Amino acid sequence: DTGVSQDPRHKITKRGQNVTFRCDPISEHNRLYWYRQTLGQGPEFLTYFQNEAQLEKSRLLSDRFSAERPKGSFSTLEIQRTEQGDSAMYLCASSLVKAIGGYYGYTFGSGTRLTVV
Amino acid sequence: AQTVTQSQPEMSVQEAETVTLSCTYDTSESDYYLFWYKQPPSRQMILVIRQEAYKQQNATENRFSVNFQKAAKSFSLKISDSQLGDAAMYFCAHHLRKTSGSRLTFGEGTQLTVNP
């Protein structure tokens, strides 16, 4: 296993276009997270999944954003009608959380840098 | 809501010397995790060190150690014998134990430069 993979690494799109990013987590991890990071800032939580269920969404996740994790494996994050304010690094992470004996921390991917022109 | 504050946007250190990065946080809960993450220019966030709030002993990982002051809600990172490869953005982060595995709250980051 090579860790958390994100595709593409970079995306440039015109305002108003739709974009979709993919994240492949570590295979044995049951939780998957999306964060957004703007330049010079810390990551901000967007949403997370346990297996295929989306358990929490931030208010940052507007109606133009949708995330899915079909079959509890890879996840996609789609942004519709992109705006310049959507320009950011989108980070994916995964973790293993057990009912007993817990939690082993996040592993992050390298991110997808989105530029909206 | 939890907040994390890093008051040092930039720090620099000479190679082989020691540097301390500051972090304060605010929470009304008593049981939580604290983390320091490193983000090099390649952008992948890497866990440096983790501290569980119920443990009084400060965590250490090789050249990295923390000074956890629970009453003061302070969680500083000390890097000893700094190396050129330590240059990166460092983020302090927090989440509650009862929601383990959910959202992390990050600080604004500290850009560390290591001078040869």
Short mmCIF file of all heavy atoms in Angstrom, two decimals, chain B residues 21-62:
data_model
loop_
_atom_site.label_atom_id
_atom_site.label_comp_id
_atom_site.label_asym_id
_atom_site.label_seq_id
_atom_site.Cartn_x
_atom_site.Cartn_y
_atom_site.Cartn_z
N LEU B 21 8.28 25.87 18.77
CA LEU B 21 7.11 26.43 18.11
C LEU B 21 5.94 26.43 19.09
O LEU B 21 5.70 25.43 19.77
CB LEU B 21 6.75 25.61 16.87
CG LEU B 21 7.87 25.34 15.86
CD1 LEU B 21 7.32 24.60 14.65
CD2 LEU B 21 8.57 26.62 15.46
N SER B 22 5.22 27.54 19.13
CA SER B 22 4.15 27.70 20.11
C SER B 22 2.78 27.37 19.55
O SER B 22 2.52 27.56 18.35
CB SER B 22 4.13 29.14 20.62
OG SER B 22 5.37 29.47 21.22
N CYS B 23 1.91 26.90 20.44
CA CYS B 23 0.53 26.62 20.07
C CYS B 23 -0.34 26.74 21.32
O CYS B 23 0.04 26.25 22.39
CB CYS B 23 0.41 25.21 19.50
SG CYS B 23 -1.29 24.63 19.21
N THR B 24 -1.44 27.44 21.19
CA THR B 24 -2.44 27.44 22.25
C THR B 24 -3.76 27.02 21.66
O THR B 24 -3.99 27.12 20.45
CB THR B 24 -2.59 28.82 22.91
OG1 THR B 24 -2.95 29.78 21.90
CG2 THR B 24 -1.30 29.25 23.59
N TYR B 25 -4.64 26.51 22.48
CA TYR B 25 -5.91 26.01 22.00
C TYR B 25 -6.99 26.34 23.01
O TYR B 25 -6.68 26.68 24.17
CB TYR B 25 -5.84 24.50 21.74
CG TYR B 25 -5.46 23.70 22.96
CD1 TYR B 25 -6.44 23.16 23.80
CD2 TYR B 25 -4.12 23.52 23.30
CE1 TYR B 25 -6.08 22.45 24.93
CE2 TYR B 25 -3.77 22.83 24.43
CZ TYR B 25 -4.74 22.29 25.24
OH TYR B 25 -4.38 21.61 26.37
N ASP B 26 -8.20 26.25 22.58
CA ASP B 26 -9.31 26.53 23.47
C ASP B 26 -10.37 25.46 23.31
O ASP B 26 -10.80 25.16 22.19
CB ASP B 26 -9.92 27.91 23.16
CG ASP B 26 -10.90 28.34 24.22
OD1 ASP B 26 -10.82 27.83 25.36
OD2 ASP B 26 -11.76 29.18 23.92
N THR B 27 -10.75 24.85 24.41
CA THR B 27 -11.80 23.86 24.41
C THR B 27 -12.40 23.81 25.81
O THR B 27 -11.70 24.05 26.80
CB THR B 27 -11.28 22.48 24.01
OG1 THR B 27 -12.35 21.54 24.04
CG2 THR B 27 -10.16 22.00 24.93
N SER B 28 -13.66 23.48 25.87
CA SER B 28 -14.31 23.32 27.17
C SER B 28 -14.27 21.86 27.63
O SER B 28 -14.67 21.55 28.75
CB SER B 28 -15.76 23.80 27.08
OG SER B 28 -16.45 23.07 26.07
N GLU B 29 -13.77 20.99 26.75
CA GLU B 29 -13.68 19.57 27.09
C GLU B 29 -12.37 19.27 27.81
O GLU B 29 -11.41 20.04 27.73
CB GLU B 29 -13.78 18.74 25.79
CG GLU B 29 -15.04 18.99 24.99
CD GLU B 29 -16.25 18.29 25.56
OE1 GLU B 29 -16.05 17.34 26.34
OE2 GLU B 29 -17.37 18.68 25.21
N SER B 30 -12.33 18.12 28.47
CA SER B 30 -11.13 17.77 29.21
C SER B 30 -10.36 16.61 28.58
O SER B 30 -9.22 16.35 28.95
CB SER B 30 -11.50 17.38 30.65
OG SER B 30 -12.36 16.27 30.65
N ASP B 31 -10.97 15.94 27.63
CA ASP B 31 -10.36 14.74 27.06
C ASP B 31 -10.23 14.91 25.55
O ASP B 31 -11.22 14.94 24.84
CB ASP B 31 -11.20 13.50 27.40
CG ASP B 31 -10.41 12.23 27.24
OD1 ASP B 31 -9.18 12.30 26.97
OD2 ASP B 31 -10.99 11.15 27.40
N TYR B 32 -9.00 15.01 25.09
CA TYR B 32 -8.79 15.31 23.68
C TYR B 32 -7.38 14.90 23.27
O TYR B 32 -6.56 14.50 24.09
CB TYR B 32 -8.99 16.82 23.42
CG TYR B 32 -8.30 17.72 24.41
CD1 TYR B 32 -6.97 18.08 24.25
CD2 TYR B 32 -8.99 18.22 25.52
CE1 TYR B 32 -6.33 18.89 25.17
CE2 TYR B 32 -8.36 19.04 26.44
CZ TYR B 32 -7.04 19.37 26.26
OH TYR B 32 -6.42 20.18 27.17
N TYR B 33 -7.16 14.95 21.97
CA TYR B 33 -5.84 14.70 21.39
C TYR B 33 -5.28 16.02 20.85
O TYR B 33 -6.03 16.86 20.35
CB TYR B 33 -5.92 13.75 20.20
CG TYR B 33 -6.36 12.35 20.49
CD1 TYR B 33 -7.68 11.95 20.28
CD2 TYR B 33 -5.45 11.39 20.93
CE1 TYR B 33 -8.08 10.65 20.50
CE2 TYR B 33 -5.85 10.08 21.16
CZ TYR B 33 -7.17 9.72 20.94
OH TYR B 33 -7.56 8.42 21.17
N LEU B 34 -3.98 16.13 20.89
CA LEU B 34 -3.27 17.24 20.25
C LEU B 34 -2.20 16.67 19.34
O LEU B 34 -1.61 15.62 19.64
CB LEU B 34 -2.63 18.15 21.29
CG LEU B 34 -3.59 18.91 22.20
CD1 LEU B 34 -2.86 19.45 23.42
CD2 LEU B 34 -4.24 20.05 21.42
N PHE B 35 -1.95 17.36 18.24
CA PHE B 35 -1.01 16.87 17.24
C PHE B 35 -0.14 18.02 16.73
O PHE B 35 -0.56 19.18 16.70
CB PHE B 35 -1.75 16.31 16.02
CG PHE B 35 -2.78 15.26 16.32
CD1 PHE B 35 -4.06 15.62 16.67
CD2 PHE B 35 -2.46 13.92 16.22
CE1 PHE B 35 -5.03 14.65 16.94
CE2 PHE B 35 -3.41 12.95 16.49
CZ PHE B 35 -4.69 13.32 16.84
N TRP B 36 1.03 17.68 16.28
CA TRP B 36 1.82 18.54 15.42
C TRP B 36 2.02 17.81 14.10
O TRP B 36 2.44 16.64 14.08
CB TRP B 36 3.19 18.86 16.03
CG TRP B 36 3.13 19.95 17.04
CD1 TRP B 36 3.07 19.84 18.40
CD2 TRP B 36 3.15 21.36 16.76
NE1 TRP B 36 3.04 21.08 18.98
CE2 TRP B 36 3.09 22.03 18.00
CE3 TRP B 36 3.22 22.12 15.58
CZ2 TRP B 36 3.09 23.42 18.09
CZ3 TRP B 36 3.21 23.49 15.69
CH2 TRP B 36 3.15 24.13 16.94
N TYR B 37 1.69 18.53 13.02
CA TYR B 37 1.88 18.02 11.67
C TYR B 37 2.90 18.90 10.96
O TYR B 37 2.97 20.10 11.18
CB TYR B 37 0.58 18.06 10.87
CG TYR B 37 -0.38 16.92 11.16
CD1 TYR B 37 -1.33 17.03 12.16
CD2 TYR B 37 -0.32 15.74 10.42
CE1 TYR B 37 -2.21 15.98 12.42
CE2 TYR B 37 -1.20 14.69 10.67
CZ TYR B 37 -2.14 14.83 11.68
OH TYR B 37 -3.00 13.79 11.94
N LYS B 38 3.65 18.25 10.07
CA LYS B 38 4.64 18.94 9.25
C LYS B 38 4.19 18.87 7.80
O LYS B 38 3.76 17.80 7.33
CB LYS B 38 5.98 18.22 9.41
CG LYS B 38 7.07 18.64 8.46
CD LYS B 38 8.29 17.74 8.67
CE LYS B 38 9.39 18.06 7.69
NZ LYS B 38 10.56 17.16 7.87
N GLN B 39 4.27 19.99 7.10
CA GLN B 39 3.90 20.01 5.68
C GLN B 39 5.04 20.60 4.88
O GLN B 39 5.18 21.82 4.77
CB GLN B 39 2.62 20.82 5.47
CG GLN B 39 2.01 20.66 4.09
CD GLN B 39 0.69 21.38 3.96
OE1 GLN B 39 0.52 22.48 4.47
NE2 GLN B 39 -0.25 20.77 3.26
N PRO B 40 5.87 19.75 4.29
CA PRO B 40 7.00 20.23 3.47
C PRO B 40 6.48 20.81 2.16
O PRO B 40 5.29 20.66 1.84
CB PRO B 40 7.82 18.97 3.21
CG PRO B 40 7.24 17.91 4.07
CD PRO B 40 5.83 18.31 4.38
N PRO B 41 7.35 21.40 1.39
CA PRO B 41 6.91 21.99 0.12
C PRO B 41 6.20 21.01 -0.80
O PRO B 41 5.41 21.41 -1.62
CB PRO B 41 8.22 22.50 -0.50
CG PRO B 41 9.09 22.78 0.68
CD PRO B 41 8.74 21.73 1.69
N SER B 42 6.42 19.73 -0.69
CA SER B 42 5.72 18.73 -1.51
C SER B 42 4.26 18.63 -1.13
O SER B 42 3.49 17.99 -1.84
CB SER B 42 6.37 17.36 -1.36
OG SER B 42 6.19 16.87 -0.03
N ARG B 43 3.87 19.25 -0.01
CA ARG B 43 2.50 19.43 0.43
C ARG B 43 1.86 18.28 1.18
O ARG B 43 0.76 18.42 1.63
CB ARG B 43 1.59 19.82 -0.75
CG ARG B 43 2.07 21.01 -1.55
CD ARG B 43 2.11 22.26 -0.76
NE ARG B 43 0.79 22.80 -0.50
CZ ARG B 43 0.57 23.95 0.14
NH1 ARG B 43 1.57 24.64 0.60
NH2 ARG B 43 -0.66 24.36 0.33
N GLN B 44 2.49 17.11 1.28
CA GLN B 44 1.84 16.04 2.03
C GLN B 44 2.02 16.29 3.52
O GLN B 44 3.15 16.46 4.00
CB GLN B 44 2.41 14.68 1.64
CG GLN B 44 1.71 13.52 2.32
CD GLN B 44 2.08 12.19 1.71
OE1 GLN B 44 3.09 12.10 1.01
NE2 GLN B 44 1.29 11.17 1.96
N MET B 45 0.95 16.30 4.24
CA MET B 45 0.95 16.52 5.69
C MET B 45 1.43 15.24 6.37
O MET B 45 0.90 14.16 6.13
CB MET B 45 -0.48 16.83 6.13
CG MET B 45 -0.60 17.47 7.47
SD MET B 45 -0.39 19.25 7.41
CE MET B 45 -1.89 19.72 6.57
N ILE B 46 2.41 15.41 7.25
CA ILE B 46 2.99 14.25 7.94
C ILE B 46 2.86 14.45 9.44
O ILE B 46 3.18 15.52 9.97
CB ILE B 46 4.49 14.12 7.58
CG1 ILE B 46 4.67 13.97 6.07
CG2 ILE B 46 5.12 12.93 8.30
CD1 ILE B 46 6.09 14.18 5.61
N LEU B 47 2.40 13.42 10.15
CA LEU B 47 2.28 13.51 11.60
C LEU B 47 3.66 13.51 12.22
O LEU B 47 4.48 12.63 11.95
CB LEU B 47 1.46 12.33 12.13
CG LEU B 47 1.30 12.28 13.65
CD1 LEU B 47 0.51 13.48 14.15
CD2 LEU B 47 0.62 10.98 14.06
N VAL B 48 3.92 14.48 13.09
CA VAL B 48 5.20 14.58 13.78
C VAL B 48 5.11 13.95 15.16
O VAL B 48 5.93 13.12 15.56
CB VAL B 48 5.64 16.05 13.91
CG1 VAL B 48 6.91 16.18 14.76
CG2 VAL B 48 5.85 16.68 12.54
N ILE B 49 4.05 14.34 15.89
CA ILE B 49 3.95 13.88 17.26
C ILE B 49 2.51 14.04 17.74
O ILE B 49 1.78 14.91 17.23
CB ILE B 49 4.94 14.66 18.17
CG1 ILE B 49 5.22 13.93 19.47
CG2 ILE B 49 4.49 16.09 18.38
CD1 ILE B 49 6.44 14.46 20.20
N ARG B 50 2.10 13.22 18.67
CA ARG B 50 0.74 13.24 19.16
C ARG B 50 0.76 13.16 20.69
O ARG B 50 1.59 12.50 21.29
CB ARG B 50 0.03 12.04 18.56
CG ARG B 50 -1.19 11.54 19.23
CD ARG B 50 -1.70 10.31 18.53
NE ARG B 50 -2.06 9.29 19.49
CZ ARG B 50 -3.07 8.45 19.32
NH1 ARG B 50 -3.78 8.49 18.23
NH2 ARG B 50 -3.33 7.56 20.23
N GLN B 51 -0.20 13.86 21.30
CA GLN B 51 -0.31 13.88 22.76
C GLN B 51 -1.76 13.63 23.15
O GLN B 51 -2.66 14.25 22.58
CB GLN B 51 0.12 15.27 23.30
CG GLN B 51 -0.06 15.47 24.79
CD GLN B 51 1.05 14.84 25.61
OE1 GLN B 51 2.22 14.93 25.26
NE2 GLN B 51 0.70 14.23 26.72
N GLU B 52 -1.98 12.73 24.10
CA GLU B 52 -3.32 12.52 24.63
C GLU B 52 -3.46 13.34 25.91
O GLU B 52 -2.58 13.28 26.77
CB GLU B 52 -3.55 11.04 24.88
CG GLU B 52 -3.56 10.26 23.59
CD GLU B 52 -3.50 8.76 23.79
OE1 GLU B 52 -4.57 8.17 24.02
OE2 GLU B 52 -2.40 8.19 23.72
N ALA B 53 -4.54 14.07 26.03
CA ALA B 53 -4.67 15.04 27.12
C ALA B 53 -4.66 14.40 28.49
O ALA B 53 -4.28 15.03 29.48
CB ALA B 53 -5.93 15.87 26.93
N TYR B 54 -5.09 13.13 28.60
CA TYR B 54 -5.14 12.51 29.92
C TYR B 54 -3.77 12.04 30.38
O TYR B 54 -3.58 11.70 31.54
CB TYR B 54 -6.13 11.34 29.93
CG TYR B 54 -5.69 10.13 29.13
CD1 TYR B 54 -4.91 9.14 29.71
CD2 TYR B 54 -6.07 9.98 27.81
CE1 TYR B 54 -4.52 8.03 28.98
CE2 TYR B 54 -5.67 8.87 27.08
CZ TYR B 54 -4.90 7.90 27.66
OH TYR B 54 -4.52 6.82 26.94
N LYS B 55 -2.80 12.06 29.49
CA LYS B 55 -1.44 11.66 29.86
C LYS B 55 -0.65 12.88 30.30
O LYS B 55 -0.54 13.86 29.56
CB LYS B 55 -0.74 10.99 28.68
CG LYS B 55 -1.31 9.64 28.31
CD LYS B 55 -0.50 8.98 27.22
CE LYS B 55 -1.02 7.59 26.92
NZ LYS B 55 -0.27 6.91 25.83
N GLN B 56 -0.10 12.83 31.48
CA GLN B 56 0.67 13.96 31.99
C GLN B 56 2.06 14.03 31.37
O GLN B 56 2.65 15.10 31.25
CB GLN B 56 0.77 13.88 33.50
CG GLN B 56 -0.57 14.10 34.21
CD GLN B 56 -0.41 14.23 35.70
OE1 GLN B 56 0.60 13.81 36.27
NE2 GLN B 56 -1.40 14.78 36.35
N GLN B 57 2.57 12.86 30.99
CA GLN B 57 3.92 12.82 30.45
C GLN B 57 3.94 13.42 29.05
O GLN B 57 3.10 13.08 28.20
CB GLN B 57 4.43 11.38 30.40
CG GLN B 57 5.88 11.26 29.99
CD GLN B 57 6.40 9.85 30.09
OE1 GLN B 57 5.63 8.92 30.37
NE2 GLN B 57 7.69 9.68 29.89
N ASN B 58 4.90 14.29 28.82
CA ASN B 58 5.04 14.91 27.50
C ASN B 58 5.53 13.88 26.47
O ASN B 58 6.45 13.11 26.74
CB ASN B 58 6.02 16.07 27.56
CG ASN B 58 5.46 17.26 28.30
OD1 ASN B 58 4.27 17.54 28.25
ND2 ASN B 58 6.32 17.96 29.02
N ALA B 59 4.91 13.91 25.29
CA ALA B 59 5.30 12.98 24.23
C ALA B 59 6.66 13.38 23.65
O ALA B 59 7.00 14.56 23.57
CB ALA B 59 4.24 12.98 23.13
N THR B 60 7.41 12.37 23.24
CA THR B 60 8.69 12.61 22.55
C THR B 60 8.79 11.63 21.39
O THR B 60 8.30 10.49 21.47
CB THR B 60 9.91 12.42 23.46
OG1 THR B 60 9.92 11.04 23.91
CG2 THR B 60 9.85 13.33 24.65
N GLU B 61 9.39 12.10 20.30
CA GLU B 61 9.66 11.27 19.13
C GLU B 61 11.03 11.69 18.59
O GLU B 61 11.16 12.65 17.85
CB GLU B 61 8.61 11.46 18.04
CG GLU B 61 7.26 10.85 18.32
CD GLU B 61 7.25 9.33 18.22
OE1 GLU B 61 8.17 8.74 17.60
OE2 GLU B 61 6.31 8.73 18.77
N ASN B 62 12.05 10.98 19.03
CA ASN B 62 13.41 11.27 18.59
C ASN B 62 13.77 12.72 18.91
O ASN B 62 13.79 13.10 20.08
CB ASN B 62 13.57 10.94 17.11
CG ASN B 62 13.25 9.49 16.81
OD1 ASN B 62 13.72 8.60 17.51
ND2 ASN B 62 12.42 9.25 15.80
#
